[in-house]
């Protein structure tokens, strides 16, 4: 008879043990995740990093403990339940088996005893039943032991896990405290380093400002050198072109590239924009600045000739001259694009000087007339007894009227019949962004304190002063030298910024600079943009004012309004007795 199979109960027990192990692994996984979240999470609810770490780790430890107990309790109950079910199934099988064996034994008894070899053979069912019971009891005991063992292991695991969690929490709190202290120290060091860096930055900024000034000076020098090199390059074009063929034949490709670059520069210099390269000596002692100065002198001479050749009692002058920028722009387009005889305008010679002078006088016209007026004149005298006597007399006065009028660049395009392309080139030359280039060509001034000098020089040739004294607020003509200086300063924004005062009287201008400690005596060597005051009678009373254009080789060059009722360029020796002193604007 086959033995009773009891392996199902054992299999059930093994499954229970596996599930407990799985629960343990789940508990470990939950602990690991909780620990990671405690280390990585960060919320704004905690007041500090230490409080945050303590709260999160304490919460993680409680959660792990509760989860472990819950899982082991759940799995233990399930294991006991499954064990009971397995035992019940085993009992049912044993009972069924007993019934089957009893039925079979009864059947054998009915058939009688079977005798083999003279001996009676009995059924061994009772012995098998006994063994099955014994085996069942052992299996049941083994299941109980398994449950107890699982429970004990689970309890140990929970305790060990809880202890490890508490220790980890304590370590994390300590770590957080240490991190907080380190952060505070780091913040202190950072503050000190920032303060030191700020001081270093301030010093660096000062050094950078000084370097910027030096760079500006170097840039001006470099630009001048570049212009000189360009002019030399223009002269070398012809020789360069001749050498081009020989260079190609000899395989001198570097030389070819250089020549090509020179040709490109020459292409610009040979265009209407070549006028911007005309500020340097062309090798014949002539520059654009020197030619402009000669034409200005010729203009002043004509004004003086009109006055000296006419007998008059009263002089009245009015009008303004064409701006030199427009004169040169018209000259450049007309000369460089002349269909019969185009010429480059980057250099100056006697022939081009005559062309420029002709265009200047076509754009500017001086007219004059005289008029006699009979007027009643009132004179006052003392009758010898302390009484003032007024006497009316009729006098005839001769008035000399000098008027300067000019044509604009647009009017000249119509006069010369410029085509659309020429008009476009003229417009590009006169664009506002080229003002600094015009200042460099005309006056040798690029940037900085020379701005007011550029404005003043642009007014040279204007007569009568009407634009300046009317701007100041006067209804009729006044001595307008100070109005002229104020007008130029206003054009540069220096009055609004408080660099130069608005003044119509020379005495007020002197006092303004002296009150601010911005004053120098007459033996001072001034620089461009400073304000020069004059004392014609050397009696200690200031009579006139102008703007310093430059100071070179012991000579002070000026731009003055109301010099012979016109804007003129003048010059004086440094320390001249007629110089009263200098106002030094804080540009």
């Amino acid at each position: 008879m086959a033995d009773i199979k009891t392996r199902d109960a054992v299999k059930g027990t093994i499954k229970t043990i596996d599930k407990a192990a799985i629960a343990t692994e789940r508990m470990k996984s939950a602990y690991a995740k909780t620990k990671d979240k405690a280390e990585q999470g960060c919320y704004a609810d905690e007041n500090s990093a230490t409080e945050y770490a303590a709260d999160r780790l304490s919460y993680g430890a409680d959660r792990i403990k509760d989860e472990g107990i819950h899982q082991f309790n759940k799995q233990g109950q399930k294991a006991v339940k499954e064990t009971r079910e397995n035992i019940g199934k085993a009992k049912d099988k044993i009972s069924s088996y007993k019934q089957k064996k009893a039925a079979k034994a009864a059947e054998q008894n009915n058939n009688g005893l079977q005798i083999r070899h003279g001996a009676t053979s009995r059924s061994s069912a009772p012995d098998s039943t006994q063994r099955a019971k014994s085996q069942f009891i052992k299996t049941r005991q083994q299941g109980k032991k398994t449950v107890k063992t699982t429970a004990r292991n689970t309890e140990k695991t929970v305790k060990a896990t809880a202890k490890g969690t508490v220790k980890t929490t304590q370590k994390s709190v300590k770590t957080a405290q240490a991190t907080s202290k380190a952060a505070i120290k780091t913040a202190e060091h950072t503050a000190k380093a920032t303060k030191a860096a700020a001081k270093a930055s301030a010093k660096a900024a000062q050094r950078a400002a000084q370097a910027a000034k030096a760079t500006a000076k170097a840039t001006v020098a470099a630009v001048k050198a570049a212009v000189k090199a360009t002019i030399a390059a223009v002269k070398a074009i012809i020789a360069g072109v001749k050498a081009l063929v020989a260079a190609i034949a000899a395989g001198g490709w570097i030389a070819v590239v250089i020549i090509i670059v020179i040709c490109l520069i020459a292409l610009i210099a040979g265009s209407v924009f070549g006028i911007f390269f005309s500020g340097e000596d062309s090798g014949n002692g002539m520059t654009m600045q020197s030619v402009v100065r000669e034409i200005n002198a010729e203009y002043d001479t004509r004004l003086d000739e009109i006055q000296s050749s006419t007998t008059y009692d009263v002089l009245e002058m009015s009008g303004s001259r064409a701006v030199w920028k427009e004169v040169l722009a018209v000259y450049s387009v007309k000369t460089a694009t002349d269909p019969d005889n185009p010429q480059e305008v980057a250099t100056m010679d006697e022939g081009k000087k005559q062309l420029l002078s002709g265009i200047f006088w076509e754009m500017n016209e001086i007219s004059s007339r005289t008029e006699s007026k009979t007027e009643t004149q009132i004179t006052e005298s003392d009758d010898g007894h302390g009484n003032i006597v007024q006497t009316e007399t009729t006098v005839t006065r001769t008035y000399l009227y000098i008027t300067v009028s000019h044509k604009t660049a647009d009017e000249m395009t119509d006069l010369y019949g410029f085509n659309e392309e020429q008009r476009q080139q003229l417009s590009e030359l006169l664009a506002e962004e080229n003002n600094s280039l015009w200042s460099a060509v005309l006056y040798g001034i690029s940037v900085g304190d020379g701005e007011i000098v550029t404005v003043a020089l642009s007014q040279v040739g204007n007569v009568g002063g009407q634009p300046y004294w009317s701007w100041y607020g006067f209804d009729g003509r006044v001595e307008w030298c100070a109005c002229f200086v104020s007008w130029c300063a206003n054009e540069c924004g220096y009055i609004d910024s408080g660099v130069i005062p608005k003044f119509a009287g020379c005495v007020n201008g002197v006092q303004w600079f002296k009150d601010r400690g911005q004053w120098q005596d007459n033996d001072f060597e001034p620089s461009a943009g400073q304000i020069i005051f004059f004392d014609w009678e050397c009696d200690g009373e200031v009579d006139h004012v102008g703007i310093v254009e430059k100071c070179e080789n012991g000579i002070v060059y000026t731009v003055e309004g109301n010099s012979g009722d016109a804007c003129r360029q003048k010059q004086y020796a440094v320390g001249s007795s007629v110089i009263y002193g200098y106002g030094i604007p804080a540009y």
Side-chain angles (χ1 to χ4, degrees), residues 264-276:
L264 290 174
I265 297 174
L267 181 64
I268 297 174
S271 70
V272 296
F273 295 99
I275 194 70
F276 294 132

Side-chain angles (χ1 to χ4, degrees), residues 139-217:
T139 300
R140 184 175 181 181
Q141 291 175 349
Q142 186 176 359
K144 290 181 178 181
K145 289 180 179 180
T146 300
V147 172
K148 290 181 179 180
T149 301
T150 301
R152 284 196 299 271
N153 291 338
T154 300
E155 184 180 0
K156 290 180 180 179
T157 301
V158 170
K159 290 181 178 180
T161 301
K163 290 181 179 179
T165 301
V166 172
K167 290 181 178 180
T168 302
T169 301
Q170 293 175 347
K171 290 181 180 179
S172 299
V173 171
K174 291 180 179 180
T175 301
Q177 291 175 344
T179 302
S180 178
K181 292 179 179 180
I184 292 172
K185 290 182 178 180
T186 301
E188 292 175 349
H189 289 309
T190 302
K192 292 180 180 179
T194 302
K195 186 176 181 181
K199 291 182 178 179
S201 298
K203 292 182 179 179
Q206 293 175 351
R207 290 194 294 268
Q210 295 173 353
K213 291 181 179 179
T215 301
K217 293 181 180 179

Side-chain angles (χ1 to χ4, degrees), residues 234-361:
V234 172
K235 293 180 180 179
I237 291 175
I238 297 176
V241 172
K242 290 181 179 179
L244 180 60
V245 177
I248 294 175
W253 292 107
I254 296 177
V256 172
V257 172
I258 294 174
I259 293 173
I260 290 173
V261 171
I262 292 174
C263 290
L264 290 174
I265 297 174
L267 181 64
I268 297 174
S271 70
V272 296
F273 295 99
I275 194 70
F276 294 132
F277 296 96
S278 63
E280 295 295 324
D281 189 348
S282 304
N284 55 9
M286 299 178 68
T287 67
M288 183 59 72
Q289 293 176 37
S290 65
V291 170
V292 168
R293 219 178 244 281
E294 287 183 31
I295 295 175
N296 282 340
E298 183 183 351
Y299 173 86
D300 290 340
T301 299
R302 291 196 183 187
L303 289 175
D304 292 338
E305 286 176 350
I306 293 174
Q307 296 178 45
S308 61
S309 63
T310 305
T311 301
Y312 61 91
D313 298 306
V314 180
L315 173 65
E316 290 189 7
M317 302 177 70
S318 62
S320 60
R321 200 182 64 181
V323 178
W324 262 113
K325 179 175 73 171
E326 293 191 10
V327 176
L328 290 186
V330 172
Y331 159 78
S332 180
V333 174
K334 187 177 187 304
T335 304
T337 62
D338 188 333
D340 299 325
N341 183 29
Q343 301 181 66
E344 52 82 18
V345 292
T347 60
M348 180 57 67
D349 56 29
E350 192 62 38
K352 294 174 185 174
K353 173 184 174 182
Q354 295 303 319
L355 288 173
L356 178 58
S357 178
I359 292 173
F360 174 85
W361 286 112

Side-chain angles (χ1 to χ4, degrees), residues 82-137:
E82 289 181 357
T83 302
R84 288 178 179 176
E85 290 176 355
N86 290 336
I87 292 172
K89 291 179 181 180
K91 286 182 178 180
D92 292 341
K93 289 182 180 181
I94 292 172
S95 176
S96 175
Y97 179 78
K98 286 181 178 181
Q99 291 175 1
K100 289 180 181 180
K101 287 297 182 180
K104 190 174 182 179
E107 184 180 353
Q108 288 178 351
N109 287 332
N110 291 332
N111 293 331
L113 295 174
Q114 296 179 359
I115 301 174
R116 295 181 180 178
H117 304 292
T120 301
S121 175
R122 299 184 179 221
S123 175
S124 60
D127 294 334
S128 298
T129 300
Q130 188 66 30
R131 284 196 301 272
K133 287 182 178 180
S134 177
Q135 184 66 30
F136 169 74
I137 292 170

